[in-house]
Amino acid sequence: MRPIRLIRPIAAGQLEAAPAGDTGRLPSTVRWALAALSLSMLLSSLGTSIANVGLPTLAEAFSASFQQVQWIVLSYLLAITTLIVSVGRLGDLIGRRRLLLAGILLFTAASVLCGLAPTLWLLIAARAAQGLGAAVMMALTMAFVGETVPKSRTGRAMGLLGTMSAIGTALGPSLGGALIAGPGWRAIFLVNAPLGILTLVLARRHLPVDRREPEQEQAAAKAGRARFDHVGTLLLALTLAAYALAMTIGRGSFGALNAALLAGAALGVGLFVRAESRAASPLVRPATFRDPALSASLAMSTLVSTVMMATLVVGPFYLSRTLGLGEALVGLVLTAGPLVAALTGVPAGRVADRFGAPRMTVVGLVAMAVGAFVLSMTSGALGVAGYVAPIVVVTAGYAVFQTANNTAVMTDIRPDRRGATSGMLNLSRNLGLITGTSVMGAVFALASGTTDVATAPSSAVATGMRVTFAVAAILIVVALAIAAGSRAPARRRASGG
């Protein structure tokens, strides 16, 4: 019997139905929609990585200190971290397509403003606006997967988005360096303009129109604007900002200001939980954290991202101080990780679709644990290969984990919560990266026995690297324990126990 195909008129921007069984090629409209989502993910990750390489040049251009120019990066990250859950939820309420188009437009316009900024503080403000646009793009691209591809291909779509994110991260330093050496620092922001316009055109033409079920329309009409949780949004933004600042300011030192910010973040968590338990339409439903599978996925994502940050914190110092590589070779070796992630993303999605996301989540974690353990035992005598080979294993495991974990969370989520849930997944990753910068950096410095790793002896840096990755391996083992614990209730429910 031939598979049944649902046939209906296709309105502008609405996706064609896929054949039942989904064994054929995706319709062209779906492929173009995925192209728009992929470009959105590429731009948001490129915006994170491309500015870092320009900080010395920007400090010279604006006659500013490093502490001042670091806000060019920090304002972007803060905007994403503090607002990504809120904009995801807003997309659920007012329409994801409408908000994504606005986010792409804001990101593009802010990029132009960054490139034309006459003063440092205007540049920092424009970067914050660019970060808001990036938060919308990051939160809603994953949410759109459920509306653009068949359920059986969710893993492949998530793998594609992961690949584009890795490409953006890897491309940033090299592209930024080339643009600074050529047209100048303004080009590292202006390059986003043509890409943003292309993304906007593709998204407007090919993303599905916002549709609501009749009961959703009635609920929206009844609740009106009050459905958006303004109090919860403000409390969450302030809490996350306090935590992010506590983890990033001070360049590795932890003083009274950091402690006060961390205490403020802890207080904010309590106030946020209380506010959400009383809100009629909460930003984050309290029941969400009673879902063992979702809570486990968010916790694992945070732990894994913390570990991945160790590769960026430790790698440059180990390669330059212990192995004696020059700057060019250090940069080349460091691209191995993002390159592996880019090449692994789509195959990891296919494997997750075939063998199941929960199983591949564990496989990815096991690979990361093995790679981190090998790094904790490696010797400088093994040279570059002794570092790169286990890093490849860690990064490939990360790509498999990230794709499978995102697929497991987003496959069966309710349509009216996709934006908020996608925002929470992205938030867990960002919090891990922020935490890893501070915590893994502190572990590295402590294990190296110095306050300035840049001038530490090569043997001390090697020791610091091994200890840091031993801690990383322990964190991955904790994530494996969380994965095992979250699967046990599911098995009991399946067996009727």
Side-chain angles (χ1 to χ4, degrees), residues 7 28 83 89 128 130 147 251 301 327 388 491:
I7 302 176
S28 60
L83 297 172
R89 179 59 180 152
Q130 191 186 35
E147 300 176 27
R251 298 186 66 185
S301 179
E327 291 182 359
V388 171
R491 285 195 294 266

Side-chain angles (χ1 to χ4, degrees), residues 356-424:
R359 182 179 301 173
M360 297 315 299
T361 297
V362 173
V363 170
L365 290 173
V366 170
M368 290 190 69
V370 170
F373 178 75
V374 172
L375 279 167
S376 72
M377 303 292 289
T378 195
S379 168
L382 297 175
V384 174
Y387 178 80
V388 171
I391 281 291
V392 166
V393 175
V394 170
T395 309
Y398 172 71
V400 172
F401 164 81
Q402 194 77 358
T403 298
N405 190 53
N406 291 347
T407 301
V409 171
M410 297 302 297
T411 297
D412 295 317
I413 202 70
R414 282 174 44 185
D416 65 328
R417 300 297 300 182
R418 281 179 184 150
T421 304
S422 173
M424 290 170 64

